[in-house]
Amino acid sequence: MLVSQPTRGIDIGATEFVLQQILAQRDRGSAILLISTELEELLAISDRILVMYEGQIVGEVPPDHRLIEEIGLMMAGKRGG
């Protein structure tokens, strides 16, 4: 399943519902590719995070809040994890 910006422009209650539906599909065995600019959203529901810069994957990290600085550097083009 390809999901791009699934919670953009919706309220907190709707956001929670959408994210739970995505996780339910994952639990049923679906592969999910989530594209989002919302880092907190990615950290909350991802199994792994790949960062792209100028069309190239520059790194992969686990969804860990301690890695936010590293993720930010990769978003600026630094190759990482």
Side-chain angles (χ1 to χ4, degrees):
M1 189 163 90
L2 175 61
V3 184
S4 179
Q5 305 290 352
T7 60
R8 187 174 195 176
I10 61 176
D11 65 43
I12 293 171
T15 294
E16 185 64 27
F17 175 78
V18 168
L19 295 179
Q20 290 302 319
Q21 295 303 305
I22 292 170
L23 291 172
Q25 288 299 315
R26 180 203 63 192
D27 293 344
R28 290 186 190 105
S30 294
I32 312 287
L33 175 58
L34 172 63
I35 300 167
S36 180
T37 58
E38 298 295 327
L39 187 53
E40 286 299 320
E41 180 175 275
L42 293 169
L43 291 169
I45 69 169
S46 297
D47 295 320
R48 61 187 177 142
I49 297 173
L50 279 75
V51 180
M52 294 185 75
Y53 178 78
E54 294 185 344
Q56 300 291 318
I57 295 173
V58 294
E60 178 181 343
V61 294
D64 186 334
H65 280 84
R66 295 173 294 183
L67 300 174
I68 288 177
E69 184 176 326
E70 182 179 347
I71 293 169
L73 290 171
M74 286 189 288
M75 291 169 66
K78 178 185 176 282
R79 295 227 172 247

